[in-house]
Amino acid sequence: METILGIDYPTLWYLVVGLLFSGYAILEGFDYGAGAWHLFFKKDMSRRIAINAIGPLWDANQVWLIIGGGALFAGFPVMYATMLSAMYIPFMLFLMLLVLRSAAIKFRSSEEMTWWRKIWDIVYFVSNTLIGFLLGVVLGNILQGFELHENFVYKGGIFLTFLNPYALMTGLTTLSIFMTQGAIFLLLKTEGKLHDRLNYLLKKGMVFFIISFATTSLYTLTFLHGVTDKFKEQPIFFILPVLAFLAVANVPRLVSKKRYSQALVFSSLIMAFLLMLVAFQLYPVLLPSTIDPKYSVTIYNAASSQKSLGIMLTIVLIGAPLLAGYFLFLYKTFHGKVKLDDTSY
């Protein structure tokens, strides 16, 4: 098996896919979080400002999802097919909600009628809230595993089996961290009474996150079999939960001192460390089988050919700096407070 710096190609592609979906969760997470607060703003002007805060960014942040999905399909096609079979309903709902969310952003302010704007406000709020929740539900199901049999055939239920207790908890935890992230981002983009309102909402959001995070963590440690085994084998990785806990503790401190830029960085680090924990816990498994571990989808039995992975890794080396440069330019160009004009949503 071919390697780069002693790391085999499937492991490198595992890291690439993980980085792409982490970027998506962090950058699009505050977009979804901002939208999940939408109906908590009472005035039409406040809602317009909140939408325009993400206006130049939301469609660009979708790039991470597109590239991440493409990378998963190209590098681990078996995993892509198996996961879609098991999670068909939530993924179809996810795609539908993405379309509705985009429509709400585009159409909401195109007419002056109050009823028109209220309908799209509800669509925008519901779509953002459910997208964040569903992403967590999918993650919770992956951590628990699927009923996979020989040749990775999914033997589980289709319709509502994905809404199990643990998946519901991870869904709420994901939504809560998105809402915390979104409120902090909006504080950076707003001023006046809306800024004061967001300060109040952020405190509620942080309580929601801490309670849901603590509950999910306790359930994980108590009921998920073997969740601590890898930490016993490689104690150095205990640094990941420690760093995640420190990041969680630091966000309220920074918010209380009105250091919102730093708070946004640390809320992003919470997601990064938690996703690293997931990656470390699963590796080299992509989709665990609850029937028999030998039926699990791993980075080795799901990977494309060595030549394909080698070519794609070369493309990543070329494309990664371009992607990073584009987003640095984008966020630098559109930093600062929101000012509405004739071109605003």
Side-chain angles (χ1 to χ4, degrees):
M1 186 172 290
E2 297 187 56
T3 64
I4 297 177
L5 300 176
I7 305 175
D8 59 66
Y9 282 3
T11 298
L12 285 170
W13 200 251
Y14 181 73
L15 295 175
V16 168
V17 171
L19 180 62
L20 289 169
F21 281 111
S22 296
Y24 174 67
I26 292 169
L27 295 178
E28 193 72 320
F30 66 69
D31 286 356
Y32 296 143
W37 289 113
H38 193 67
L39 291 186
F40 291 85
F41 311 134
K42 303 305 180 184
K43 295 182 178 179
D44 180 73
M45 183 60 70
S46 296
R47 292 178 178 181
R48 284 195 67 200
I49 291 172
I51 290 178
N52 281 277
I54 67 163
L57 309 173
W58 69 272
D59 48 356
N61 290 337
Q62 295 286 336
V63 169
W64 293 89
L65 176 63
I66 296 167
I67 298 176
L72 187 63
F73 173 74
F76 302 119
V78 173
M79 187 264 193
Y80 186 90
T82 305
M83 185 172 66
L84 286 181
S85 297
M87 294 279 98
Y88 186 81
I89 299 297
F91 275 116
M92 289 301 102
L93 288 172
F94 174 69
L95 291 175
M96 180 187 73
L97 290 166
L98 283 177
V99 173
L100 290 173
R101 173 178 179 260
S102 302
I105 293 173
K106 294 291 185 180
F107 296 152
R108 191 255 177 204
S109 298
S110 63
E111 298 289 347
E112 296 289 340
M113 294 89 75
T114 302
W115 65 267
W116 174 271
R117 293 191 172 189
K118 283 185 176 180
I119 288 173
W120 288 115
D121 283 338
I122 293 171
V123 171
Y124 181 64
F125 167 78
V126 171
S127 58
N128 279 285
T129 302
L130 288 182
I131 287 172
F133 176 72
L134 284 173
L135 288 172
V137 165
V138 171
L139 179 61
N141 278 279
I142 291 173
L143 287 171
Q144 284 191 121
F146 299 99
E147 294 181 47
L148 302 180
H149 208 271
E150 194 173 3
N151 297 321
F152 316 118
V153 175
Y154 177 62
K155 296 290 187 179
I158 295 295
F159 290 102
L160 296 177
T161 51
F162 66 93
L163 293 176
N164 53 75
Y166 184 66
L168 293 175
M169 282 188 283
T170 54
L172 289 174
T173 302
T174 303
L175 175 61
S176 67
I177 194 172
F178 282 0
M179 292 180 73
T180 301
Q181 180 102 332
I184 295 171
F185 176 75
L186 288 176
L187 281 166
L188 290 170
K189 306 293 287 184
T190 59
E191 50 195 354
K193 291 184 179 180
L194 178 56
H195 189 275
D196 296 337
R197 174 70 173 164
L198 281 162
N199 256 317
Y200 170 78
L201 292 174
L202 176 57
K203 293 175 184 177
K204 303 296 182 183
M206 287 191 294
V207 171
F208 176 32
F209 168 64
I210 290 170
I211 292 174
S212 58
F213 176 68
T215 304
T216 304
S217 298
L218 182 62
Y219 187 99
T220 301
L221 293 171
T222 306
F223 293 105
L224 256 63
H225 176 70
V227 73
T228 60
D229 291 350
K230 285 196 173 182
F231 292 104
K232 294 174 183 177
E233 296 169 5
Q234 302 182 58
I236 190 172
F237 284 99
F238 268 113
I239 192 67
L240 290 176
V242 171
L243 289 173
F245 175 78
L246 291 175
V248 170
N250 203 29
V251 169
R253 185 185 71 85
L254 292 169
V255 168
S256 68
K257 295 184 176 182
K258 300 188 185 302
R259 298 179 182 175
Y260 301 121
S261 296
Q262 294 177 37
L264 187 65
V265 170
F266 275 90
S267 66
S268 300
L269 287 174
I270 293 171
M271 282 194 269
F273 290 138
L274 291 178
L275 288 171
M276 287 181 197
L277 272 171
V278 170
F280 170 70
Q281 175 62 29
L282 289 174
Y283 179 84
V285 175
L286 294 170
L287 298 176
S289 171
T290 57
I291 295 176
D292 193 314
K294 69 181 180 181
Y295 299 137
S296 296
V297 178
T298 71
I299 63 172
Y300 298 109
N301 61 28
S304 297
S305 68
Q306 292 289 296
K307 185 175 182 179
S308 296
L309 290 175
I311 293 171
M312 291 188 295
L313 287 168
T314 303
I315 294 172
V316 168
L317 290 175
I318 298 170
L322 297 175
L323 184 65
Y326 165 70
F327 274 90
L328 285 173
F329 171 78
L330 179 70
Y331 279 83
K332 185 174 178 60
T333 301
F334 293 104
H335 77 288
K337 305 294 183 180
V338 174
K339 303 293 182 184
L340 298 182
D341 56 33
D342 292 339
T343 63
S344 301
Y345 291 121

